[in-house]
Amino acid sequence: MDAKQGKNFDLSSVFLPFLSIIVALAFGGLLVLIQGIQPLQAYRVLFATAFGSFDGIALTLAKATPLILSGLAVAICFRAGLFNIGAQGQLISGALASAWAGYTFVGLPTLVHIPLALIYGAFFGAIVALVAGALKAYRGVHEVITTIMLNSIVIALADYLTSTPFKEPDQPLTRTPKIQESAQMPDFLGLPLGFFLAIGLSVTLWWMMRKTTTGFSIETIGRNKNAGWYAGISVKKTVIISMLIGGAVAGIAGAVETLSITGRFEPAFNAGLGFDGITVALLGRANPLGVIPAAILIGGMRASASTVQFEAGVAPELVDLLLAMILFFVTAPLLAKFFKSRKENVAMTSGWSN
Amino acid sequence: MKTLLEIEGVSKIFGSVIANEDISLSIKEGEILALLGENGAGKSTLVKAVFGLVKPDSGSIKIDGEVMESGDTAAAIAQGVGMVHQHFQLVPVMSVTENLILGDEPKKFGVVSMKRARSEVLKLSKHFSLEVNPDAKIEDLPVGMAQRVEILKALRREVKLLILDEPTAVLTPQETDELLEVLRKLAKRGVGILFITHKLREVMAVADRIAVLRGGRLVGTTTPKDSDESKLAQMMVGRDVVLSVAKSPAKPEQVLLAVKNLRVNDDRKIEAVKDLSLEVRSGEILGVAGVEGNGQRELVEAICSMRSRLSGEVFVKGKSVPNMNPRAAHLSGVSHIPEDREKHGLVNSYSIADNLVLNRFNEVPFSRGWIRDLEKVAQNGSELVDRFDIRATSASVSAASLSGGNKQKVVVARELSQQLDVVVASQPTRGVDVGSIEFIHKQLIAARDSGSAVLLVSAELDEILSLADRIAVISDGKIVATFSSAEADRNTIGRLMAGLSA
């Protein structure tokens, strides 16, 4: 029986994301058809726009960059058996902190200013996650509850800060001043620099999970917390480390967005990037490398949404709908497995092979 | 007598594993059939097929003459098959009555009538002479009682055939005897019983017929009259098994493990270990004999720093071991074979090799600084798989793919290969097949002979008697007596275990 189960896991780990995408596309196509538009035509435009030209690919990768990072933030916590729904709050915290660092420090060389602003982003993202991590480790408060609550707190706090102390002077909008030129992240080889940073972080974290003692500790408590405790791994410390890594990566996601796309912080920016991270992480099987293709796919759909409306006449909400359906079809079987495997005393990540 | 169950030529293959191959068996009314076999012999698969949880690839199953629709539990229940699972299917926070009526509640005006339910439960319990307190909560009941509720639950649906999957694995010797008595009573009433176990004593005590499985095939059927324990053991493993352990006299030297005035709470925050002291010397095995639930688990976990000590101290080689820090206990020289390998001992989805370094993945040579040396981990894995006779295709397969006995060997290999000063072995052969038991016993004796102090905690008195050099009897959280193995007497120890005076 065990042998059979092992086989199922391997199969589903590759198969399930593809299946859920195909099923979501099929349902989406049906809805497009109801609008009286050829679904294949709509999808052709969608994919041609996203992946058909260098400019298209550049835009796709720009959209994918924060998604890779927020996906990583969720994925690493998944590995430790933690459901970090708070990537959104951590991302906003990081975005605002990096914007502040970006406009406050004047006269720094670019090579210092950009890393400094990124560090600010990572630090303040991690601080938000630390609250949830510490509450989980020392008081046993479920991270889903705390991270959701923290999302609201961070959003409200960011609103307040941008409308009063950090507000750009002498204009009516609720937004921070623009960051210094020295903090703007340039393109590299025509592609956004942040994308390379995201890939680098993915590879680093993948390597960390595979090859380091920290990675092994995180993986162990994610799969069997009791065995981790028995084996002398500090469960509290590992929970906090995982949340800190997740929060820092989400913070970097916000910082990269600020430093390369928006150039300042405005409360309306970054909507949903952290939540898309959950979809990306699930689609990428909580694997630090798996989030890359998942984020590029979703980034591509986001990048081409307006073109699809323009050329094929499909409402841009179709993309949101498709994303929601992908999430639904990828989570439904996963949740079923989660509850089934909980019976067998196996953690959620056990089904997600590397 | 009517034939209740007829299994004909049932085969089931999982991937590359043949779980059942062409098995034919039958049970008559009022007959107790013991299904005997090592872990991984295919017992569970076979009974799951009978209960409709598994669909056989070929062959047929007839219940009371009717061919059963395979893979349909509801149909099996409707045809009068009841199953008592190894892991109870009870709701801990609900009362006995509530659990018993669950899914088929007696109603009055469309509302559940607890009064009627309660009297129904009393009637049921009286009818089968299985006493239970209908108002007790399941979580407050001892395991034996909870199992009784589980049996009643099956009986309430008028079962003709009752299947019990390793029912004694969780029971104390007394509870086991009570269960066997219950089974006899039920058989007298005409219920057919299919009883899975790998404990030979129980089979000899209660079965009318014995069917032995090995490697998915039926090796043979026999009766207790025509057989004895060593013959059955041979049938199970296909070779001679030494049930008593050969060992030289102990040569105890300096004290390596000392427990002084230890007090520990259990999970319910009730004091379970009460001012307990003991000493184990280098080169000896101290066996702790006792009925389960008398503080053994708490004692072991407190020694290994996994459970908080209220007061008292644990010394290894004269040095105090800090409280609530399993890592520190490990570093001060304590090996721990935990009672529950699935909960504490293994990460099932990890490879055997990773499991073999679970508590030293961050030590040289398995890591240098922050970086793990996966080559050394793999090397250690294949070495220990060979040395500890772990039956697996390689050390890189997942622990989940192993049978219970081989999983336990992984734990034993990890703990004993480290050659630490103190070995704490808790129920080291629970749920393990005969072949592996013998192997694990030899390893424990080898650890003793190499100078470790071994603390052996086991619910199996036979295991204690055959392995220990000194025997401490634990009752109600206290050591009530200590014997040398020469003066140990089964009856005296039994009385002390039961809380009586010797």
Side-chain angles (χ1 to χ4, degrees):
Chain A
M1 277 167 290
D2 292 335
K4 185 190 162 206
Q5 234 168 37
K7 222 176 186 174
N8 270 348
F9 278 172
D10 290 347
L11 250 179
S12 62
S13 69
V14 193
F15 189 57
L16 188 62
F18 281 104
L19 190 70
S20 57
I21 291 165
I22 289 166
V23 174
L25 288 178
F27 271 92
L30 220 68
L31 291 169
V32 173
L33 201 63
I34 292 171
Q35 295 181 33
I37 298 157
Q38 270 293 318
L40 284 179
Q41 169 66 9
Y43 286 145
R44 202 190 56 76
V45 172
L46 187 96
F47 285 98
T49 316
F51 304 106
S53 65
F54 185 82
D55 286 349
I57 290 173
L59 182 61
T60 292
L61 297 187
K63 293 271 183 196
T65 301
L67 296 178
I68 294 175
L69 292 165
S70 64
L72 270 182
V74 180
I76 290 298
C77 294
F78 262 143
R79 286 276 160 208
L82 300 166
F83 198 176
N84 178 15
I85 302 188
Q88 182 68 25
Q90 295 146 20
L91 187 146
I92 286 176
S93 174
L96 178 57
S98 67
W100 184 86
Y103 72 75
T104 305
F105 300 116
V106 183
L108 292 174
T110 297
L111 273 179
V112 176
H113 203 170
I114 292 175
L116 183 74
L118 287 172
I119 290 168
Y120 263 79
F123 181 79
F124 282 91
I127 290 282
V128 175
L130 176 66
V131 176
L135 281 170
K136 168 86 175 183
Y138 292 101
R139 310 260 20 117
V141 188
H142 202 286
E143 74 282 0
V144 167
I145 310 285
T146 49
T147 51
I148 289 177
M149 297 299 170
L150 281 166
N151 280 344
S152 306
I153 293 172
V154 170
I155 288 167
L157 195 64
D159 263 359
Y160 162 74
L161 291 173
T162 11
S163 63
T164 333
F166 297 169
K167 187 171 175 293
E168 186 176 19
D170 309 324
Q171 55 83 35
L173 294 169
T174 303
R175 65 181 198 193
T176 67
K178 197 154 176 46
I179 57 170
Q180 308 293 332
E181 210 163 298
S182 55
Q184 282 171 14
M185 282 178 88
D187 282 359
F188 180 69
L189 304 172
L191 298 172
L193 185 62
F195 177 71
F196 297 99
L197 177 69
I199 298 287
L201 269 174
S202 295
V203 173
T204 307
L205 287 177
W206 173 79
W207 173 84
M208 183 195 84
M209 292 306 293
R210 270 181 75 86
K211 288 282 279 183
T212 69
T213 54
T214 308
F216 191 78
S217 300
I218 292 175
E219 197 81 51
T220 303
I221 70 148
R223 289 170 189 238
N224 184 347
K225 204 165 58 183
N226 291 314
W229 169 238
Y230 156 87
I233 296 169
S234 166
V235 177
K236 289 177 181 147
K237 206 174 101 188
T238 311
V239 163
I240 287 176
I241 288 175
S242 317
M243 284 305 284
L244 281 177
I245 294 174
V249 175
I252 292 175
V256 167
E257 199 64 2
T258 299
L259 303 181
S260 51
I261 309 282
T262 58
R264 56 158 53 99
F265 183 83
E266 210 172 294
F269 291 167
N270 311 312
L273 283 179
F275 293 117
D276 279 351
I278 299 171
T279 312
V280 170
L282 288 168
L283 207 53
R285 314 299 301 177
N287 182 321
L289 293 183
V291 298
I292 298 173
I296 290 176
L297 177 80
I298 292 176
M301 289 165 68
R302 286 251 182 264
S304 53
S306 52
T307 314
V308 175
Q309 178 185 28
F310 186 66
E311 282 190 21
V314 180
E317 285 77 19
L318 173 72
V319 166
D320 280 323
L321 192 68
L322 281 176
L323 288 181
M325 280 195 291
I326 291 174
L327 179 63
F328 178 81
F329 288 115
V330 83
T331 38
L334 260 186
L335 287 180
K337 204 152 72 179
F338 178 48
F339 286 113
K340 189 173 156 259
S341 63
R342 263 220 312 209
K343 262 198 215 158
E344 291 152 19
N345 202 7
V346 182
M348 187 169 185
T349 47
S350 61
W352 304 343
S353 64
N354 272 311
Chain B
M1 287 256 211
K2 234 176 11 167
T3 303
L4 268 181
L5 171 71
E6 251 187 298
I7 301 173
E8 259 173 54
V10 164
S11 295
K12 178 75 196 175
I13 296 169
F14 292 117
S16 59
V17 181
I18 301 171
N20 285 160
E21 192 181 346
D22 194 22
I23 293 178
S24 299
L25 272 180
S26 68
I27 297 180
K28 292 197 185 68
E29 263 181 352
E31 187 179 37
I32 302 180
L33 176 74
L35 196 55
L36 192 65
E38 291 191 291
N39 285 312
K43 296 167 297 188
S44 291
T45 306
L46 185 64
V47 293
K48 278 182 183 159
V50 174
F51 194 54
L53 286 168
V54 159
K55 194 177 166 147
D57 296 330
S58 62
S60 75
I61 296 169
K62 276 190 215 163
I63 291 163
D64 221 357
E66 276 177 64
V67 176
M68 204 186 72
E69 285 294 323
S70 53
D72 185 353
T73 314
I77 292 172
Q79 287 183 54
V81 182
M83 182 148 175
V84 175
H85 295 268
Q86 199 173 351
H87 305 284
F88 302 151
Q89 319 275 309
L90 299 170
V91 187
V93 294
M94 285 164 78
S95 74
V96 169
T97 303
E98 286 167 329
N99 267 286
L100 282 172
I101 61 167
L102 206 60
D104 183 18
E105 303 86 358
K107 288 187 184 131
K108 203 173 175 182
F109 310 121
V111 181
V112 178
S113 161
M114 285 312 290
K115 218 170 109 189
R116 262 177 59 194
R118 196 171 176 280
S119 71
E120 209 175 282
V121 168
L122 284 173
K123 219 168 81 189
L124 187 74
S125 125
K126 203 165 167 198
H127 182 71
F128 289 102
S129 331
L130 287 173
E131 256 177 66
V132 288
N133 172 5
D135 307 314
K137 270 193 186 170
I138 298 294
E139 60 188 356
D140 299 333
L141 293 179
V143 184
M145 264 301 161
Q147 187 178 55
R148 188 173 281 194
V149 176
E150 186 83 19
I151 294 173
L152 278 171
K153 211 169 86 183
L155 293 175
R156 184 162 175 261
R157 307 199 185 228
E158 286 166 32
V159 291
K160 296 179 221 160
L161 177 70
L162 185 64
I163 304 171
L164 298 105
D165 189 0
E166 306 243 5
T168 57
V170 290
L171 300 185
T172 65
Q174 280 84 345
E175 285 172 336
T176 301
D177 288 341
E178 281 173 31
L179 174 72
L180 298 184
E181 195 49 47
V182 167
L183 295 186
R184 283 193 204 99
K185 275 190 220 161
L186 291 176
K188 271 208 192 107
R189 297 182 161 274
V191 178
I193 291 171
L194 182 57
F195 172 54
I196 304 183
T197 184
H198 49 242
K199 293 190 188 162
L200 304 172
R201 186 184 74 85
E202 295 160 10
V203 172
M204 295 300 289
V206 78
D208 296 313
R209 275 195 309 135
I210 304 162
V212 183
L213 290 186
R214 185 173 75 222
R217 303 171 71 162
L218 185 65
V219 187
T221 41
T222 175
T223 62
K225 252 185 280 166
D226 305 326
S227 189
D228 60 43
E229 295 188 17
S230 78
K231 263 190 206 154
L232 288 176
Q234 269 181 54
M235 283 173 84
M236 278 166 73
V237 300
R239 62 188 151 83
D240 284 308
V241 182
V242 190
L243 276 176
S244 61
V245 189
K247 58 169 187 172
S248 56
K251 297 184 199 93
E253 287 170 30
Q254 78 277 22
V255 173
L256 288 184
L257 171 69
V259 173
K260 291 205 174 120
N261 305 104
L262 189 66
R263 286 170 54 237
V264 189
N265 273 353
D266 65 13
D267 291 336
R268 295 169 298 173
K269 307 248 189 290
I270 296 166
E271 197 170 322
V273 175
K274 300 170 180 169
D275 197 21
L276 184 148
S277 301
L278 58 80
E279 280 184 351
V280 191
R281 291 170 181 275
S282 164
E284 72 165 356
I285 299 179
L286 174 67
V288 176
V291 176
E292 271 202 278
N294 273 277
Q296 293 97 319
R297 174 184 302 162
E298 291 76 15
L299 170 66
V300 165
E301 291 184 355
I303 291 175
C304 301
S305 271
M306 288 171 66
R307 183 182 286 271
S308 183
R309 307 192 271 260
L310 294 177
S311 68
E313 273 191 276
V314 173
F315 298 92
V316 171
K317 273 180 137 177
K319 272 200 199 140
S320 174
V321 179
N323 197 4
M324 280 294 267
N325 187 342
R327 178 92 196 128
H330 173 77
L331 289 177
S332 58
V334 181
S335 279
H336 178 197
I337 299 169
E339 166 183 338
D340 189 338
R341 61 175 165 268
E342 302 286 334
K343 184 175 176 191
H344 289 121
L346 293 167
V347 178
N348 265 318
S349 50
Y350 272 173
S351 67
I352 295 173
D354 274 341
N355 272 299
L356 284 168
V357 296
L358 200 60
N359 52 13
R360 39 181 184 150
F361 65 94
N362 46 5
E363 290 171 18
V364 178
F366 303 117
S367 69
R368 264 160 302 166
W370 194 45
I371 316 289
R372 299 182 67 211
D373 188 336
L374 297 179
E375 222 164 89
K376 287 270 161 45
V377 172
Q379 203 184 319
N380 174 69
S382 50
E383 212 179 286
L384 291 185
V385 162
D386 279 351
R387 213 173 101 202
F388 285 81
D389 191 31
I390 297 161
R391 308 276 170 84
T393 44
S394 86
S396 60
V397 303
S398 76
S401 66
L402 299 177
S403 70
N406 282 304
K407 281 184 181 179
Q408 187 70 5
K409 283 194 214 163
V410 172
V411 177
V412 169
R414 178 181 67 223
E415 296 307 311
L416 297 188
S417 64
Q418 302 181 52
Q419 301 245 337
L420 298 181
D421 289 324
V422 174
V423 174
V424 179
S426 185
Q427 320 291 357
T429 57
R430 167 167 292 174
V432 164
D433 55 276
V434 177
S436 305
I437 289 177
E438 189 191 1
F439 185 83
I440 291 168
H441 282 174
K442 278 188 183 153
Q443 293 299 324
L444 286 172
I445 289 170
R448 176 199 79 164
D449 292 343
S450 71
S452 295
V454 181
L455 181 71
L456 169 70
V457 177
S458 174
E460 310 266 345
L461 187 51
D462 290 323
E463 181 163 82
I464 302 265
L465 287 170
S466 60
L467 282 181
D469 303 306
R470 283 192 305 131
I471 297 165
V473 183
I474 191 169
S475 173
D476 192 26
K478 285 174 281 214
I479 302 286
V480 291
T482 311
F483 302 94
S484 74
S485 62
E487 42 180 44
D489 165 72
R490 180 185 284 272
N491 285 331
T492 316
I493 292 177
R495 288 177 61 81
L496 288 166
M497 278 167 66
L500 305 168
S501 57

